């Protein structure tokens, strides 16, 4: 249906089928769909959708050469199986089968026809192996050409097997499995394409309403993947507040959702200026994003994504189905270069990103991220999500081309997931309601600091025993 009906992607099609039950019901009730474009597209292309379904519908009336009843699983011939296992020298399996079937393995001789070292598993001479492989590939190519009704020129006679070091498969056979050189060319082409598209911060948008956020969420469902970069008020994900979330769908197509940015001021104690206007409430935004972040059918792409996973877990969100561009880089180039976002952007995209120090300043005037102006935070955060998505598009094909997919998926990514899970699980042993109580206590704690400073007549760090002791001593004197 996705290709037959313009404007409806895989995710949208799945949602519609779940909602209406099946394609025919959906087409009959297409007039009930609220979205005008989606409704009109379904009505106009209803017949194409039916044809598309017919093309992929499985034929359950096929006549079988062997009746299904004869394909049932039966108990194996224990003596024959033991003979085979003894021939293969599988001692443990031989013992287990013998114990299960109550057969003495000493009474069963190894099968001489499949004995280890016999012709079934012995190595063939190189020329015979080459010729056998070449014949197999040519036969497969002929089947592909025949099924596609492709006219092929007569095959040229092959030279003797000993005159050629390896087989040269036909073009049709070569297309069946991409060669390593093709995979590397594809990865190089991706890298070159990513480098050619300049980063344009003027195209990033700020999401300030739930309607705008829901529109972005609908776009994500149509695409099926997106880059995410949640911004925090602290480097500790267990204590940090979510200042905002950046999303990216394509190059220069990114947004930033501010959630808890403050107005100008020092943002602490008695001088806190309150939240900046025109921001979505964090609870509402996270609830809207929850189905997206927890969906196993939508890929989330991040950079050091375990930090985001731990921070979001404090709000009851579980990040499912994700890729980590930083871990990909480490799997591919562990000792070759730095793996920070700025360094990788310079290496693979030729782009100098906005630095965190440039955004927040330094020294006494250094700001926390929630004190940064929203327009500047949008430029920085959306650029980060954009760069993450571009790096993923470069590094993902390299995993395949350089045969490092297993290293990433079985070693690096699971290790990152475990690290994130360990951090997120630290609060699991707390009594029920403890996390909510801590959150409720935070505003009171800030107000208490302000009252303590007002009582002392000077800014005070309530966590400094020395400063409190000096103030008390001066008062007593």
């Amino acid at each position: 249906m996705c290709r037959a009906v313009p404007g409806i992607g895989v995710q949208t099609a799945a949602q519609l089928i779940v909602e209406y039950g099946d394609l025919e019901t959906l087409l009959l009730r297409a007039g009930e769909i609220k979205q005008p474009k989606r409704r009109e597209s379904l009505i106009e292309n209803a017949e194409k959708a039916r044809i598309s379904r017919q093309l992929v519908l499985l034929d359950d009336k096929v006549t079988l050469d062997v009746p299904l009843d004869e394909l049932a699983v039966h108990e194996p011939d224990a003596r024959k199986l033991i003979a085979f296992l003894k021939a293969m020298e599988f001692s443990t399996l031989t013992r287990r089968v013998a114990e299960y079937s109550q057969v003495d393995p000493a009474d069963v001789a190894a099968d001489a026809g499949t004995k280890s070292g016999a012709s079934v598993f012995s190595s063939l001479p190189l020329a015979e192996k080459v010729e056998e492989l070449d014949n197999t590939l040519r036969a497969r190519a002929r089947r592909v050409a025949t099924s596609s009704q492709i006219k092929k020129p007569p095959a040229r006679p092959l030279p003797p097997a000993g005159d050629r070091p390896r087989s040269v498969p036909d073009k049709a056979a070569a297309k069946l499995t991409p060669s390593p050189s093709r995979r590397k060319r594809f990865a190089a082409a991706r890298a070159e394409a990513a480098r050619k598209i300049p980063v344009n911060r003027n195209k990033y948008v700020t999401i300030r309403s739930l309607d705008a956020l829901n529109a972005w969420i609908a776009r994500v469902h149509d695409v099926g993947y997106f880059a995410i970069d949640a911004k925090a008020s602290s480097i500790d994900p267990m204590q940090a507040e979510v200042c905002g979330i950046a999303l990216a769908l394509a190059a220069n197509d990114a947004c930033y959702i501010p959630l808890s940015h403050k107005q100008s001021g020092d943002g602490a104690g008695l001088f806190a200026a309150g939240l900046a206007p025109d921001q979505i409430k964090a609870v509402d935004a996270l609830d809207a994003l929850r189905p997206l972040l927890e969906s196993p059918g939508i890929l989330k792409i991040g950079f050091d994504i375990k930090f985001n996973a731990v921070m979001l877990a404090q709000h009851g969100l579980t990040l499912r189905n994700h890729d980590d561009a930083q871990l990909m880089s480490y799997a591919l180039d562990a000792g070759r270069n730095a793996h920070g976002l700025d360094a990788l952007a310079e290496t693979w995209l030729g782009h100098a990103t906005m630095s965190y120090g440039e955004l927040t300043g330094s020294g006494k005037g250094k700001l926390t991220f929630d004190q940064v102006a929203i327009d500047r935070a949008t430029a920085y955060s959306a650029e980060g999500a954009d760069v993450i998505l571009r790096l993923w598009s470069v590094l993902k094909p390299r995993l395949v081309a350089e045969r490092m997919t297993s290293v990433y998926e079985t070693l690096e990514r699971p290790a990152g997931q475990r690290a994130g899970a360990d951090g997120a699980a630290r609060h699991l042993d707390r009594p029920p309601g403890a996390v909510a109580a801590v959150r409720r206590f935070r505003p009171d704690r800030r107000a208490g600091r302000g009252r303590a400073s007002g009582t002392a007549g000077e800014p005070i760090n309530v966590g400094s025993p020395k400063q409190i002791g000096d103030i008390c001593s001066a008062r007593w004197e």
Side-chain angles (χ1 to χ4, degrees):
M1 183 175 74
C2 302
R3 296 187 179 181
V5 182
I8 295 186
V10 176
Q11 297 295 329
T12 303
Q15 288 177 347
L16 291 172
I17 293 298
V18 169
E19 182 176 354
Y20 290 94
D22 56 57
L23 178 63
E24 197 59 40
T25 304
L26 169 62
L27 296 176
L28 291 174
R29 299 173 59 188
E32 302 175 9
I33 296 175
K34 297 179 180 180
Q35 296 85 350
K37 291 184 179 179
R38 191 177 296 175
R39 180 177 62 246
E40 293 169 5
S41 184
L42 275 169
I43 293 173
E44 292 174 2
N45 299 278
E47 194 57 35
K48 290 183 180 179
R50 291 187 176 97
I51 294 173
S52 178
R53 178 189 58 183
Q54 191 62 31
L55 289 173
V56 298
L57 193 63
L58 296 178
D59 185 0
D60 58 356
K61 306 297 183 184
V62 177
T63 303
L64 300 177
D65 296 333
V66 180
L68 286 177
D69 295 340
E70 296 183 13
L71 299 177
V73 177
H74 302 286
E75 286 289 328
D77 184 332
R79 301 185 70 84
K80 191 172 182 180
L81 179 57
I82 292 173
F84 171 79
L85 294 175
K86 290 183 72 173
M88 295 297 100
E89 300 178 1
F90 294 151
S91 303
T92 302
L93 286 176
T94 301
R95 176 177 51 78
R96 290 178 180 175
V97 173
E99 291 175 355
Y100 175 80
S101 58
Q102 301 297 311
V103 174
D104 186 357
D107 295 339
V108 182
D111 186 352
T114 56
K115 195 171 182 179
S116 180
S119 61
V120 175
F121 295 98
S122 61
S123 58
L124 296 172
L126 179 61
E128 292 180 33
K129 287 204 291 186
V130 168
E131 186 169 4
E132 181 183 42
L133 175 61
D134 190 75
N135 291 336
T136 302
L137 290 173
R138 285 189 174 278
R140 189 181 301 175
R142 282 194 295 272
R143 289 197 298 271
V144 172
T146 302
S147 62
S148 304
Q149 296 182 350
I150 301 174
K151 293 182 179 180
K152 294 177 56 180
R156 292 176 296 179
L158 293 173
D163 294 342
R164 59 186 190 277
R166 60 184 179 87
S167 63
V168 181
D170 292 337
K171 291 182 179 179
K175 289 180 181 178
L176 296 175
T177 304
S179 64
S181 59
R182 284 185 180 179
R183 292 193 291 264
K184 289 181 180 178
R185 286 198 299 271
F186 177 75
R190 275 286 188 91
E192 185 62 26
R195 183 178 286 270
K196 285 182 178 179
I197 303 175
V199 173
N200 186 350
R201 299 189 185 107
N202 295 326
K203 291 188 176 182
Y204 304 145
V205 296
T206 306
I207 303 298
R208 295 180 178 270
S209 68
L210 274 176
D211 289 341
L213 176 57
N214 287 329
W216 262 81
I217 291 173
R219 292 183 60 200
V220 171
H221 277 289
D222 286 339
V223 174
Y225 63 87
F226 67 100
I228 180 172
D229 190 15
K231 296 302 178 184
S233 59
S234 163
I235 60 173
D236 181 1
M238 300 291 292
Q239 302 293 332
E241 297 288 346
V242 182
C243 298
I245 299 175
L247 310 175
L249 290 176
N252 295 323
D253 186 6
C255 70
Y256 179 63
I257 311 160
L259 301 177
S260 59
H261 283 265
K262 297 173 182 174
Q263 300 184 54
S264 58
D266 72 355
L270 295 175
F271 304 99
L275 293 178
D278 296 326
Q279 298 184 86
I280 307 173
K281 289 184 179 180
V283 174
D284 295 339
L286 293 175
D287 283 344
L289 289 167
R290 182 184 301 276
L292 202 67
L293 299 176
E294 296 188 342
S295 170
I298 296 176
L299 179 65
K300 276 68 72 175
I301 303 160
F303 194 89
D304 186 21
I305 202 168
K306 64 179 179 291
F307 183 96
N308 289 339
V310 173
M311 182 168 61
L312 292 173
Q314 310 312 306
H315 297 271
L317 290 168
T318 302
L319 209 58
R320 290 188 174 92
N321 185 17
H322 60 266
D323 264 345
D324 192 321
Q326 187 177 51
L327 293 180
M328 287 181 181
S329 174
Y330 191 79
L332 289 163
D333 306 303
R336 297 176 190 171
N337 49 256
H339 302 284
L341 187 63
D342 298 345
L344 292 176
E346 183 68 34
T347 300
W348 292 106
L349 308 177
H351 172 69
T353 58
M354 184 187 299
S355 70
Y356 190 81
E358 178 185 349
L359 188 73
T360 60
S362 59
K364 292 183 178 180
K366 184 176 181 179
L367 304 175
T368 55
F369 197 84
D370 56 354
Q371 296 171 306
V372 175
I374 291 178
D375 57 343
R376 299 198 69 207
T378 296
Y380 175 81
S381 305
E383 179 191 49
D386 186 2
V387 168
I388 289 169
L389 187 62
R390 296 180 192 224
L391 289 174
W392 174 80
S393 70
V394 171
L395 298 174
K396 190 76 170 180
R398 282 191 61 205
L399 290 174
V400 179
E402 299 178 27
R403 300 177 182 273
M404 295 297 289
T405 304
S406 294
V407 173
Y408 167 68
E409 293 186 349
T410 61
L411 296 178
E412 299 298 346
R413 186 167 61 179
Q417 290 172 343
R418 285 193 297 272
D422 290 343
R426 291 177 198 167
H427 69 284
L428 295 181
D429 293 333
R430 299 174 184 172
V435 175
V438 169
R439 289 181 185 150
R440 288 196 301 271
F441 175 70
R442 284 175 185 166
D444 296 338
R445 184 176 58 183
R446 298 191 192 102
R449 288 175 186 160
R451 289 195 298 271
S453 298
T455 302
E458 62 181 274
I460 181 174
N461 179 5
V462 294
S464 171
K466 182 179 183 304
Q467 186 180 15
I468 292 176
D470 292 343
I471 293 173
C472 291
S473 298
R475 289 290 179 91
W476 288 334
E477 291 175 357

